[in-house]
Structure formats: structure tokens, C-alpha cells
Amino acid sequence: MIHITVTVDQEHLRVIGDVASVLRAKGMHVEQVLDNIGIITGSLPEDRRPDLESAEGVESVDEQRNFQLAPPDSGVQ
Amino acid sequence: MIEAASSGSGGSGTAAEAETTGRYIVIFAGTDTDASAVLSSAAGLSNVASSRDFRNRGADLSETRDADATVFASLGMAVVSANAEQAAALQASSGSQGKVISVVPELVHRVLTDSSSVYAHGYRDGVADLTARLDSGADTGNGSGDRPANFEDSATATWGLQATRATSSPQSGKGIKVAVLDTGFDASHPDFAGRNVTAESFTPGESAQDGHGHGTHCIGTACGPRSPSTGPRYGVAYEADIFAGKVLGNAGSGNDGGILAGIDWAVSNDCAVISMSLGADVAQVHPPYTAAGRRALQQGSLIVAAAGNNAERDAGNFGFVGTPANSPFIIATAALNQQLKLAGFSARSAPARGGQVDVAGPGFEVYSSWPMPERYKTISGTSMATPHAAGIAALWAGATGHRGLELWATIVQEAQRLHAPSVDVGAGLVLAPQ
């Protein structure tokens, strides 16, 4: 499984819920539908990724990145 | 390109008395002012031509030569042939009628000459200036014009608030919502008692309470109080409404899912500014932040992010702006020290679209709030420069009503230019409205 963000294209922002339904049907486990910024987050088996990229209303599918701060006692943060 | 000609201009670049035409420029209160009526009643000027008479083909000066005045209606201005008495009468009318903002002499402008002698003079003067600066030991790297900067924390305010002129700003951020997406917030900190704070966790299994310290420090810089219970003032927008989104856990880690959820939350709450002192050392632009940044701007939320600490300039490594600051629609903030020079760790612009540093802020030895019982801490980083820029943006939002891309343009336009390369500091040091 990989954690992904799906960026919904401009034309489908108003029907982001429908896009999410399509993504679910294609095997994505949808965790969040962020309708203000038009992004859907979740996870899916890596081999299903091309199915999502070709789905209607999808601008891009990107693997989630991790962010790490320096420890609290570090001089540079 | 034209510029105002100076009398006896020798290309020396020094200010001299401007050459004038004898006519005056009258600036009216607005473009809807009845300019002809004002000119007539205040100065007895009746022969007035208006650019409206020429519709969209521009005012033909050969046709208006005999007029006492030519009104440029869409600019709310007029060029007026008036004697000193009439000019004074128009100037006086600004007080009595409120329809004239100012009356100034019309300047002579000339095309900049590009002859080799002018170029050579400029070159000579530039070398002379540089030599003088080096001889006097003056710092050519700071941005304060003639005198070198050397800020330090005082009993009343941190160096960063002094450098950004937050201390002398009449703005407080009152009524402006500022989101800080970070490690949360220490709700028990006495400096924030009575403040309007909305805290939300986007980190599974953790409350919004700050278990790291980074978030409380950044919130302190952006929105800390005007008069802390003890010690100097360290917060910029001291009356802003605080939205503390916990997108990084107590161990300091997070992922896109939490950060994007935090942005979505801040946008839906109409936060004018979203401060994100976080980043990954990834040079490629990450598409979710391109979309999120653009859509946030469209809805009136400006995202300010840290350029990154991946440079080691002493070792010749300039680093690069990482994600999410490299989004074309997110402001990337570099870190300056007390001399307004770039901090050695502060990342340089990356070549990709959006990879540029946009502005710089105080990011070296920054004193701010820290979770109790420590209460305060002094640390460095582009993470500390970012909430300075965010707080300043909040002050401008309050001063102008600008949001989104217009607010972006305002803080860039108002930034103090520095001698440092734009690849390192962008438009320069963010400054508070005065």
C-alpha cells in the first residue's frame, strides 16, 4: 500500500465527491476529501495507481511525502 | 525608459533639484471628482480640455495646447498652466473642499542617455563609491542604505521586531485570522491568556497540545503579545486571531495528508495568512502544493513557507528551496541575521518554476515563546523567519484589506531591498506598515 494525494482538476472541483466515489471504485481507500483545495488523500495498492491517474477529474496522483523537524534542542530549526 | 531629469545632470546618480516646466500637476481626490468645476471655482481656469473628449485615442497635446488645463479623467489628474497664485489657490482648496490631494510642479523627463561617456562616468563613480566603502570599512552587504545594520534584542523588543519595524507599526492584526500549521500550541502558556485561539489536530492520536516546542515558538513570533508578562515583546501581529493547526506530531514529523488537511481547514476558516515553517529537501515541485497554494490564494488565504535550512554556505553549499515553499503559489522565506545578512543555512532559489526565494525575514537567534515550564527559547532557522513574514502579512492585511495575490504583491512591494543577491533573499526584508 502507498499513501497518496490525488489532486482534482479545476473542472471537477464542484463534483469532488463524485470523483472520490470513482476513486473508491478503483480500489483507493479514501481518508479525506478536502473540498476547499480540491485534494483527496488516502492509500491504495501500488499496482492500481495507473487506474487512478487515468480517472476522470484527476489532475495528478502523488505519493505522500514525509516532513521531519529538527529535535527541540537543535539550534537550527 | 524615462526618468526625471536633474539639472546639471552628469549621470552621477546623486539627487539634485529637479528641472520643472512651470506648469503644475493637480491630483484630485478621486477619478469621479468634477475636475473642471474645481479648476474653475478654485483658480478661475475655464479653458479646460479633458481626455474624455478624445475617447480612447489619447489626449492629443497639439489640440490642447491652448487650454489652461488638460484633465486626465481616468487618472484623476490634470496638467495646469497656472501662475503661483492660482497654484496656491488650488493647493488651499485641498483643505476647504477635500477635492484636491496635492498640487506639484510638472517635472521635465528625458530619455536616459546611453552614450559611452555617461556610461564611463557612471562606471567611474561606481568604482569610486566602492573604494570609499571599502576604505571606510563600511558594510556593502546590508540593506539599510548608507549605514550598516546591527540589530540586537533590547529590553522592550526582539531584534527581529525592530528590523521589520513591527515595533513602530500602528497595526496589530486585530480581526485578522492567522493559521500556523506546525507542532501545535501550548494552551497553558501565560503570554496567550485571553487570546482568541482555535486549535485543531491533524495528527492522528495526538491532541493539539504542543509536545515539541517548534509550533509554540512560531505562533509566538507571528502572533505573540504586545506586552508579555516578562521580557521583551517578540510577536508581530499581537491582536490577530490564532489558528493553531497541528500537522506535525510531537516527534516533529508529519506528512502531506495532515498538512493539506490543515491548509483546507485554514482556508475554510478564512485565514488571511497561513504560516508553514516546514519543508522537505526535495527540489521537484510537488503538484498538491501547486494546486493547494493556487486555490488558497483564490479564496483569500496567503501561504508563507520556510525556504529551508539545507545550505552550508561556509562550505560552499548554497542549498535549494524545497517543497512546499517551491510551489509557485507559496511564498518562500529566507533567514537573515542581525546584520541583515543571509544566515549560512538559508537555502538559495531552485531553478524550477516556483523555486525562487520570495522574501526574507529575521531567522537567526530568534527569541520567542516555548512550552512551559521553559516559557521562552532562542533558536535559528528559516522556520523562525517564516512567522515574521506571516505576521507582517497579517499587519498588511489589516492595513489594506488586501487578500490573496494582492496581499502577496503588497508585502513584496513594501519589502526593504538588500544588497544580497535576489536568488538568496528575493525582494528583501519584509517590513510592517507604518
Side-chain angles (χ1 to χ4, degrees):
Chain A
M1 296 284 275
I2 55 172
H3 289 271
I4 56 167
T5 64
V6 176
T7 304
V8 176
D9 68 27
Q10 205 67 24
E11 293 70 41
H12 290 78
L13 287 181
R14 286 179 188 189
V15 290
I16 190 169
D18 297 344
V19 176
S21 299
V22 171
L23 299 181
R24 280 192 196 95
K26 289 177 179 287
M28 177 175 174
H29 171 63
V30 172
E31 287 167 5
Q32 307 179 100
V33 179
L34 305 173
D35 51 7
N36 291 291
I37 56 174
I39 284 174
I40 300 167
T41 69
S43 56
L44 92 164
E46 186 150 21
D47 60 352
R48 304 296 301 272
R49 185 171 164 168
D51 294 349
L52 259 58
E53 285 170 335
S54 61
E56 190 179 349
V58 171
E59 189 167 290
S60 74
V61 178
D62 298 277
E63 208 164 329
Q64 287 199 25
R65 295 196 186 285
N66 293 312
F67 297 80
Q68 177 66 53
L69 292 177
D73 58 357
S74 169
V76 176
Q77 301 260 344
Chain B
M1 178 174 173
I2 59 171
E3 66 170 15
S6 51
S7 57
S9 66
S12 67
T14 53
E17 198 162 320
E19 188 183 341
T20 58
T21 65
R23 295 191 296 187
Y24 294 87
I25 307 291
V26 179
I27 303 169
F28 298 99
T31 52
D32 53 352
T33 304
D34 186 346
S36 299
V38 173
L39 293 172
S40 171
S41 66
L45 298 165
S46 54
N47 187 8
V48 177
S50 172
S51 60
R52 291 221 201 282
D53 300 340
F54 300 91
R55 299 190 183 271
N56 57 0
R57 62 186 171 90
D60 183 341
L61 294 180
S62 68
E63 294 177 42
T64 62
R65 193 166 26 204
D66 299 330
D68 293 331
T70 303
V71 174
F72 300 104
S74 55
L75 299 179
M77 297 185 196
V79 181
V80 177
S81 298
N83 57 36
E85 216 168 86
Q86 290 168 309
L90 280 165
Q91 187 78 68
S93 76
S94 61
S96 57
Q97 298 181 15
K99 289 178 177 171
V100 173
I101 291 175
S102 69
V103 181
V104 295
E106 183 187 31
L107 301 183
V108 176
H109 298 256
R110 298 190 198 289
V111 173
L112 275 176
T113 51
D114 193 23
S115 72
S116 56
S117 71
V118 169
Y119 175 77
H121 287 154
Y123 184 79
R124 178 200 64 196
D125 294 345
V127 171
D129 178 61
L130 180 62
T131 307
R133 284 166 186 259
L134 292 175
D135 285 350
S136 68
D139 180 4
T140 57
N142 80 78
S144 60
D146 295 323
R147 60 193 165 79
N150 194 9
F151 291 97
E152 53 184 53
D153 289 353
S154 74
T156 55
T158 59
W159 79 264
L161 296 200
Q162 299 169 48
T164 56
R165 300 180 196 163
T167 46
S168 57
S169 178
Q171 295 294 323
S172 66
K174 190 175 176 65
I176 306 297
K177 297 175 180 175
V178 176
V180 179
L181 305 182
D182 210 288
T183 60
F185 173 64
D186 177 15
S188 70
H189 201 291
D191 286 5
F192 296 85
R195 287 292 293 278
N196 199 352
V197 181
T198 306
E200 184 91 23
S201 177
F202 302 93
T203 302
E206 295 188 19
S207 75
Q209 181 65 24
D210 184 3
H212 181 286
H214 192 269
T216 300
H217 199 275
C218 291
I219 288 170
T221 300
C223 305
R226 186 180 202 179
S227 304
S229 43
T230 175
R233 177 182 164 192
Y234 53 85
V236 177
Y238 57 85
E239 287 192 304
D241 296 334
I242 299 166
F243 283 73
K246 184 171 188 171
V247 302
L248 303 171
N250 295 332
S253 62
N255 57 32
D256 286 333
I259 294 163
L260 292 164
I263 295 173
D264 195 77
W265 169 74
V267 170
S268 69
N269 278 289
D270 296 323
C271 292
V273 186
I274 302 173
S275 186
M276 300 203 309
S277 290
L278 53 87
D281 293 338
V282 178
Q284 302 110 289
V285 175
H286 197 36
Y289 293 105
T290 305
R294 187 177 62 232
R295 292 167 185 170
L297 277 178
Q298 286 166 347
Q299 291 167 77
S301 297
L302 175 65
I303 305 178
V304 183
N309 302 331
N310 59 24
E312 293 173 280
R313 288 166 182 266
D314 288 347
N317 172 12
F318 296 97
F320 60 88
V321 175
T323 190
N326 64 4
S327 162
F329 304 101
I330 291 179
I331 285 191
T333 313
L336 303 174
N337 66 16
Q338 294 93 326
Q339 288 75 47
L340 302 186
K341 287 188 168 175
L342 198 72
F345 51 76
S346 190
R348 176 166 279 187
S349 294
R353 174 177 180 244
Q356 67 271 33
V357 171
D358 296 296
V359 294
F364 193 73
E365 295 177 348
V366 174
Y367 169 95
S368 184
S369 46
W370 197 261
M372 299 299 284
E374 285 94 329
R375 196 163 183 153
Y376 303 111
K377 190 164 179 162
T378 299
I379 48 178
S380 304
T382 54
S383 282
M384 282 67 245
T386 301
H388 275 107
I392 296 293
L395 299 188
W396 281 109
T400 62
H402 293 167
R403 296 290 185 275
L405 203 49
E406 205 173 13
L407 183 57
W408 178 314
T410 302
I411 67 166
V412 165
Q413 181 184 25
E414 299 286 350
Q416 175 182 328
R417 269 51 183 173
L418 303 172
H419 289 293
S422 66
V423 287
D424 288 333
V425 299
L429 172 65
V430 291
L431 293 181
Q434 301 298 310

